[in-house]
Amino acid sequence: MSRLLIVDDDRVGVSALAALLEDDGYQVVALTSSAGGLEALSAGGFDAVITDLEMPGLHGLELVRAIRECSPTLPILIVTGYTNSPAAATAVAYGARRVFPKPVPYEDLLAELGAALPH
Amino acid sequence: MPADDLERVYRWGWLPLIGGCVAVTAAMLAASELLFIHYGFADPTRLQRVLHLVRGAVMSFALALFAGWYMLRLRQRVEAARESLRAQQAAFARRAWKTEQAVGLGALCRLLVHEISDPINGLSLHCRLLERAAGRMEPTDAEPVRRIAAQLRDDTERLQGLAASYVEGNRAPGSSERYQDLSLEEIVRAAVAAHPCPEGVEIVVEAASDLAPVHAEPDRLRQLVEYLLRNAIDPPAGSHRVRVSMTNDGNRVLLAVADDGAGFEDPASVFRPFYPASSLRASLGLAIVRDVAREHGGDTRAANREGGGALLSVRLPMGERTS
């Protein structure tokens, strides 16, 4: 079973997304701060990361960059309300696999996860 | 004629006119006197003297009439020019107000679209959860739940479509080229120069000599700077000295606005919409600042300074350095 890390400061959204992904067979750790996300990642054991960009404290871009520095191949998916911003483009430049808008097109997200993770 | 010149003529034009009248009358009387002497009227009769005085008085009266008529005409012209200026000023103020309202409304709408994206996301995902939960129920129980979930999903999609169409509809033509490498210092200095600074408030602008450009959308960046300045200058901040500084901070450019005003009651809440509730403009300005910063991949911070006053800082993504 693939293990996912979701980082988003919107508690309601993150819990709903975690519940859906768990229902679809993923093991999910959902966190609401990027600092917490970094700490969880340092322990390792995740197969993919889904993160928001605009979060208080550590910006999502910093999280993406930190992930890339310690784990060059870990799939990173971005979920953001600002899909056309330079931040989204920079996240892709840092190595994020794809940027999804909010509300999340769930089927597309699921398909992307399926393509990114080894079966 | 420029308005200032007209005003000067209007205020002081009577002086040379009256002076001119007196001078012309005196000259004509002197000329008459010379004529009397020249033609041998060295000892004029009483009648001749009276006629001479009457002629002088008539001449003065005629000149005074002319001066009065001229002043009246001048006054009418000045009044007409004043009226026209007033009308132009009023029209300009109306246009400026409308433009400001439109820009503010646009920024507010974008802020709201971004603010509602999280709740819509949560609603949309919960609709899916509800539909899945209905799938595990008995068919008779599941039917109304499915119906409600479908209705909720339709409404959510409609809301999402509205928000998306607004954001897309507000993109400038050639939107991929909206973001440019811009000199933050130029934008800040232009905003300071254009902003009507209240009496007794001093704004000091400082920029690092090697300040990198920021990668941003010009109009949105101007909006961000404008609202930051307003927050520091406009009541109820009550600042006397505002220091705007720009420095490089890693791969970001840091814009900091420090003032010596009243500071924030709750620095953690200042970027929330409608905080503080004292005025609509103040309460949305900083929320728009945060929205613009986020849109650009930047972030915002607010704090109270130790010596009093507020410190707002915005970090924006750095553009490419030319040297």
Side-chain angles (χ1 to χ4, degrees):
Chain A
M1 187 186 285
S2 298
R3 195 159 175 256
L4 306 178
L5 173 66
I6 308 177
V7 186
D8 191 334
D9 62 325
D10 174 33
R11 288 174 192 278
V12 176
V14 84
S15 65
L17 184 60
L20 281 169
L21 287 168
E22 278 169 359
D23 198 41
D24 283 320
Y26 291 97
Q27 194 185 340
V28 179
V29 173
L31 298 169
T32 53
S33 78
S34 41
L38 261 186
E39 202 179 313
L41 277 163
S42 62
F46 292 102
D47 299 302
V49 176
I50 300 170
T51 179
D52 189 6
L53 288 180
E54 298 77 30
M55 290 179 281
L58 190 70
H59 194 275
L61 271 181
E62 306 294 331
L63 179 66
V64 173
R65 203 162 62 155
I67 296 170
R68 267 297 155 265
E69 278 170 9
C70 62
S71 178
T73 55
L74 186 70
I76 305 169
L77 304 179
I78 307 292
V79 175
T80 175
Y82 302 79
T83 44
N84 289 305
S85 71
T90 309
V92 173
Y94 283 169
R97 194 178 164 97
R98 194 169 156 188
V99 177
F100 291 97
K102 280 184 179 178
V104 185
Y106 185 72
E107 276 80 17
D108 292 353
L109 180 78
L110 213 53
E112 195 65 38
L113 277 175
L117 295 173
H119 295 284
Chain B
M1 191 186 282
D4 284 356
D5 290 353
L6 272 178
E7 190 70 29
R8 230 180 348 261
V9 169
Y10 180 62
R11 276 178 189 277
W12 303 109
W14 60 274
L15 267 177
L17 270 171
I18 298 296
C21 286
V22 170
V24 169
T25 309
M28 293 191 88
L29 284 171
S32 303
E33 202 66 36
L34 284 173
L35 279 173
F36 276 130
I37 293 164
H38 182 75
Y39 289 107
F41 297 124
D43 187 19
T45 62
R46 182 183 291 270
L47 180 65
Q48 280 170 330
R49 279 193 180 279
V50 168
L51 279 175
H52 178 58
L53 285 173
V54 168
R55 197 168 53 234
V58 168
M59 226 174 283
S60 293
F61 182 69
L63 278 168
L65 267 182
F66 172 75
W69 170 80
Y70 188 79
M71 283 303 292
L72 203 66
R73 235 180 102 79
L74 193 64
R75 186 192 176 99
Q76 283 169 347
R77 283 183 62 188
V78 170
E79 284 301 332
R82 268 184 174 170
E83 199 52 47
S84 154
L85 266 177
R86 261 188 232 117
Q88 281 176 26
Q89 273 176 344
F92 181 76
R94 269 199 306 275
R95 272 203 299 274
W97 185 81
K98 276 184 184 170
T99 307
E100 193 187 349
Q101 293 298 105
V103 169
L105 196 62
L108 170 62
C109 288
R110 285 174 83 152
L111 164 70
L112 293 179
V113 166
H114 289 146
E115 286 291 323
I116 63 169
S117 70
D118 274 346
I120 295 179
N121 184 44
L123 194 58
S124 166
L125 292 170
H126 275 98
C127 284
R128 288 179 183 280
L129 281 172
L130 200 59
E131 282 170 342
R132 288 189 183 189
R136 294 184 198 108
M137 290 177 179
E138 293 295 322
T140 47
D141 295 336
E143 183 47 35
V145 176
R146 272 209 190 91
R147 210 172 47 245
I148 291 167
Q151 182 63 51
L152 275 175
R153 202 164 164 176
D154 280 353
D155 289 346
T156 309
E157 280 171 7
R158 209 148 50 88
L159 200 54
Q160 171 192 349
L162 267 175
S165 67
Y166 177 79
V167 171
E168 288 308 316
N170 274 276
R171 296 234 173 280
S175 60
S176 60
E177 293 170 8
R178 284 177 311 145
Y179 291 94
Q180 303 164 18
D181 286 352
L182 302 165
S183 163
L184 183 61
E185 186 182 358
E186 274 177 24
I187 287 175
V188 167
R189 288 195 188 278
V192 169
H195 201 284
C197 194
E199 203 175 329
V201 178
E202 181 195 9
I203 306 176
V204 180
V205 179
E206 294 165 355
S209 55
D210 62 340
L211 188 71
V214 293
H215 191 61
E217 192 181 348
D219 289 344
R220 295 288 274 165
L221 185 62
R222 281 187 204 105
Q223 242 168 22
L224 179 148
V225 170
E226 171 76 9
Y227 282 115
L228 269 181
L229 280 177
R230 275 184 183 178
N231 178 74
I233 294 168
D234 288 355
S239 312
H240 298 294
R241 189 179 164 88
V242 177
R243 186 168 165 267
V244 185
S245 60
M246 290 156 273
T247 48
N248 297 325
D249 181 19
N251 60 349
R252 306 277 177 102
V253 172
L254 177 69
L255 168 63
V257 179
D259 66 55
D260 59 356
F264 299 119
E265 274 179 36
D266 179 13
S269 306
V270 295
F271 292 110
R272 286 186 195 154
F274 304 108
Y275 174 92
S278 56
S279 87
L280 186 65
R281 178 183 281 180
S283 60
L284 285 170
L286 291 182
I288 290 170
V289 166
R290 184 187 63 170
D291 188 49
V292 176
R294 283 183 166 185
E295 198 177 79
H296 287 80
D299 53 34
T300 49
R301 276 174 203 173
N304 282 328
R305 298 167 69 211
E306 274 186 23
L311 173 65
L312 286 170
S313 49
V314 179
R315 292 192 311 155
L316 293 163
M318 202 177 262
E320 282 181 27
R321 289 168 189 262
T322 48
S323 55

